[in-house]
Amino acid sequence: MSDHTKLEVEHELEIAFQAKIDDEQKVEPKDWMPEGYRKNLIRQMSQHAHSEVIGMQPEGNWITRAPSLRRKAVLLAKVQDEAGHGLYLYSATETLGISRSQMIEALQTGTAKYASIFNYPTQTWGDMGAIGWLVDGAAICNQVSLQRTSYGPYARGMIRICKEESFHQRQGYQIMIELAHGTPAQKKMAQDSLNRFYWPSLMMFGPHDSDSAHSAKSMKWKIKRETNDDLRQKFIDQTVSQIEYLGLEHPDKALVWNEERNHYDSSDLDWDEFYSVINGNGHCNRQRIQHHIKAHEEGAWVREAMAAYKQKKQLKNATNAA
Amino acid sequence: MTTEKLELFEVFVRPKRGLDHKHVGSLHAEDKEQALEYARDVYTRRTEGISIWVVKSGDICASQEDDRESFFDPSDDKPYRHATYYPLPKEISNM
C-alpha cells in the first residue's frame, strides 16, 4: 500500500470512529482507534491511577494518629479503597497497550503527573476531614462525569469506583461536622483546614478551558464529558451550603450569587501556585515520589519471593509429571 | 485422534457496547477458533451480543462457595465502608 492510500484509509477509519463516538457508542480495547485518542487516554487514565496511589500518602500519614479506633478503621478502609482504585485504573489503562512498569517508571521519573492536591502536607486531623469532604468531593464530581466517558473499560471502572467512593466524602464531612460543632479550638482547626484545602481542591479540576492543552480534543472524543470550568462551577455551587451548615467562614470573600447565570461568581484561582505545584515545586512533591520509590524498592523481595515460588512449583510439577 | 473428549470452553457475551462481557454458558470445541464459531451459532442466534469471549474452562481459577465464610469474611463486618453509615443533616441535600 502506498503512503497515500494508507493515509486515505486512516482518514476513513477516523471518520467512522468519530461517527461511533458521536452516536454515544463506547470504544472497546480491540477496536481501531486514532493514535491520538489512545495517547490522550493513556495520559489521563494513568494520571488518574497515579493520583489514587499517591493519594494514599497524605492520609496514610494520619492512620497511626487517628483520635479513636473507629476513626482509624474508617481511615484505613478509605486508604485501602484508594489502593484498589489505583489497581482498577492501572489495569484498565493496560488494555491500551502500555505496561504497568512503564507507567510506574513514568511516575517515578516525573514524566507522568498526578493530582497536584497531594503535594500539600496534612498538618492536622482537621485535614482528614477537609480531604474527604473537599478533595474526594471534587474527585467524585469529576468521576461521576467520567462514568460516561467514551472508553468502555474506563467508564466501567469509574462506575465501580464511584459506588465504592460514596462513603469517602461523607466520612470527611462527618469529621468536619464534629470539629466545627465542637470546642472553639476544634472549630478553629476545622476553619484552618477548610482555608488551606478549599483553593487547591478547586485547582483539581485543572486549568481554565481556554488554557487546557488537551480539553478540546478530549471533549470531541468524549473522553471528557464536561469541561474543567463547568465541573469546577458545579463543585463551587454545591459546596456553599455545606460550608454554611458547618457554620464556618467561606474562604472566598468575593463569592456572590449571580441570578442571571444561576451560579455563584467567585474569585479566580492562584494559577501561579497551580503551575508551580504541578511542575514539582509544591511542599511535598519530592517526598511523595521518594516515598513511592522507597516503597517500591522495599517490596522487591516480595516480588522475588513470588517468582522463586512459582519456579519451584513448576519444577515440582515437572518432576511429578516425569 | 480422539473425537470424544473435546475441550470444554466457557462463553462470555457482551450484549452491547459499553457493557461487560457476561457469562452465558459453555460448549465443547476442538480449539478456540472453533469455540468462537460454535458460541456464535448457539448463544447469539437472536442478536444477543456484539462480541464474544471464549476461555478454556480449565483455565478458570474459581473460589469455592463452601469456603465463602472464611474467604469473604473480613469484609462484611465493616459497615463504615458504606455511605449510609454516615447520616447527613437534612440541610445538606447535595452530597
Side-chain angles (χ1 to χ4, degrees):
Chain A
M1 210 189 306
S2 75
D3 280 355
H4 182 69
T5 30
K6 220 163 144 183
L7 270 177
E8 254 172 43
V9 169
E10 187 105 327
H11 185 62
E12 302 263 308
L13 283 167
E14 278 202 52
I15 290 174
F17 177 82
Q18 190 61 46
K20 203 157 85 180
I21 299 275
D22 294 341
D23 191 36
E24 289 295 324
Q25 297 199 39
K26 298 285 183 223
V27 179
E28 296 295 346
K30 298 202 168 177
D31 294 350
W32 183 90
M33 59 186 90
E35 254 336 279
Y37 179 85
R38 188 187 298 275
K39 265 171 84 177
N40 208 326
L41 262 179
I42 288 178
R43 183 189 52 79
Q44 178 171 333
M45 290 171 71
S46 66
Q47 280 185 21
H48 199 157
H50 298 326
S51 301
E52 299 282 353
V53 168
I54 296 293
M56 289 192 284
Q57 290 187 38
E59 288 181 302
N61 185 33
W62 280 89
I63 290 175
T64 55
R65 287 178 279 165
S68 71
L69 189 58
R70 188 179 72 89
R71 291 291 186 197
K72 184 185 279 203
V74 170
L75 196 55
L76 259 176
K78 181 176 186 293
V79 171
Q80 193 182 28
D81 271 356
E82 311 297 4
H85 297 168
L87 171 74
Y88 300 164
L89 283 160
Y90 280 129
S91 306
T93 316
E94 280 172 81
T95 63
L96 291 161
I98 185 170
S99 73
R100 184 89 50 108
S101 51
Q102 280 173 302
M103 288 188 268
I104 301 290
E105 199 195 320
L107 170 69
Q108 294 187 343
T109 55
T111 46
K113 309 265 189 246
Y114 53 89
S116 59
I117 187 88
F118 302 121
N119 293 316
Y120 291 82
T122 45
Q123 302 170 16
T124 69
W125 175 249
D127 291 359
M128 294 305 99
I131 286 183
W133 168 38
L134 297 172
V135 176
D136 284 77
I140 289 168
C141 233
N142 188 32
Q143 290 174 167
V144 164
S145 169
L146 285 173
Q147 291 181 104
R148 290 165 50 240
T149 187
S150 59
Y151 189 54
Y154 195 19
R156 291 190 287 276
M158 280 299 112
I159 291 168
R160 181 161 292 128
I161 287 176
C162 283
K163 213 158 87 187
E164 294 187 357
E165 209 151 77
S166 59
F167 94 81
H168 293 186
Q169 190 183 20
R170 288 209 191 177
Q171 64 83 33
Y173 195 60
Q174 202 195 38
I175 293 175
M176 293 303 282
I177 291 177
E178 278 174 32
L179 290 177
H181 297 167
T183 65
Q186 285 174 319
K187 187 169 179 178
K188 205 173 143 203
M189 182 188 277
Q191 182 71 57
D192 170 60
S193 296
L194 167 60
N195 292 349
R196 280 184 291 109
F197 277 92
Y198 181 74
W199 302 106
S201 299
L202 298 187
M203 292 178 195
M204 282 174 70
F205 295 98
H208 280 311
D209 301 337
S210 48
D211 303 326
S212 174
H214 309 284
S215 253
K217 263 276 151 87
S218 289
M219 292 293 290
K220 181 176 157 238
W221 281 327
K222 298 192 180 174
I223 293 175
K224 279 189 187 175
R225 302 307 308 248
E226 287 170 273
T227 68
N228 296 353
D229 285 329
D230 285 350
L231 286 167
R232 182 165 23 241
Q233 183 73 59
K234 201 180 262 182
F235 182 71
I236 289 173
D237 291 349
Q238 77 181 33
T239 306
V240 174
S241 65
Q242 296 165 6
I243 295 177
E244 260 168 32
Y245 178 79
L246 293 173
L248 297 178
E249 237 178 83
H250 200 293
D252 187 352
K253 302 300 170 224
L255 189 91
V256 58
W257 178 252
N258 183 327
E259 195 80 44
E260 218 167 289
R261 288 202 312 130
N262 215 15
H263 286 297
Y264 281 94
D265 289 339
S266 52
S267 307
D268 199 15
L269 302 175
D270 183 350
W271 293 110
D272 290 341
E273 177 182 320
F274 174 79
Y275 287 109
S276 156
V277 176
I278 276 276
N279 291 325
N281 300 314
H283 281 286
C284 302
N285 295 58
R286 274 165 290 271
Q287 184 188 334
R288 298 292 185 238
I289 293 301
Q290 272 165 14
H291 184 83
H292 189 276
I293 293 172
K294 182 167 164 262
H296 194 69
E297 283 172 356
E298 284 176 356
W301 71 270
V302 179
R303 296 188 289 276
E304 280 159 19
M306 281 166 68
Y309 180 66
K310 185 180 162 194
Q311 216 175 12
K312 200 170 128 190
K313 255 194 341 195
Q314 273 170 346
L315 208 68
K316 200 171 155 195
N317 286 345
T319 327
N320 285 352
Chain B
M1 187 179 84
T2 163
T3 53
E4 291 302 315
K5 285 196 166 164
L6 290 180
E7 195 111 39
L8 188 63
F9 286 84
E10 300 297 325
V11 181
F12 300 81
V13 172
R14 186 200 297 286
K16 209 175 100 181
R17 278 185 173 278
L19 299 182
D20 289 309
H21 283 80
K22 198 169 168 244
H23 185 241
V24 290
S26 47
L27 49 74
H28 281 168
E30 196 70 63
D31 56 32
K32 56 190 186 189
E33 284 79 17
Q34 194 184 48
L36 206 54
E37 289 181 2
Y38 281 180
R40 175 201 60 201
D41 294 346
V42 296
Y43 285 108
T44 61
R45 283 195 305 277
R46 290 171 186 79
T47 55
E48 282 90 342
I50 55 135
S51 158
I52 300 174
W53 284 350
V54 289
V55 181
K56 274 186 196 166
S57 308
D59 285 345
I60 289 181
C61 179
S63 68
Q64 295 303 309
E65 217 176 311
D66 289 345
D67 301 338
R68 70 176 182 277
E69 258 180 47
S70 58
F71 194 71
F72 294 107
D73 188 48
S75 53
D76 240 9
D77 57 349
K78 298 182 169 63
Y80 49 80
R81 281 203 171 116
H82 300 274
T84 45
Y85 179 77
Y86 310 89
L88 272 186
K90 58 182 184 311
E91 290 85 347
I92 304 297
S93 56
N94 56 0
M95 191 177 282

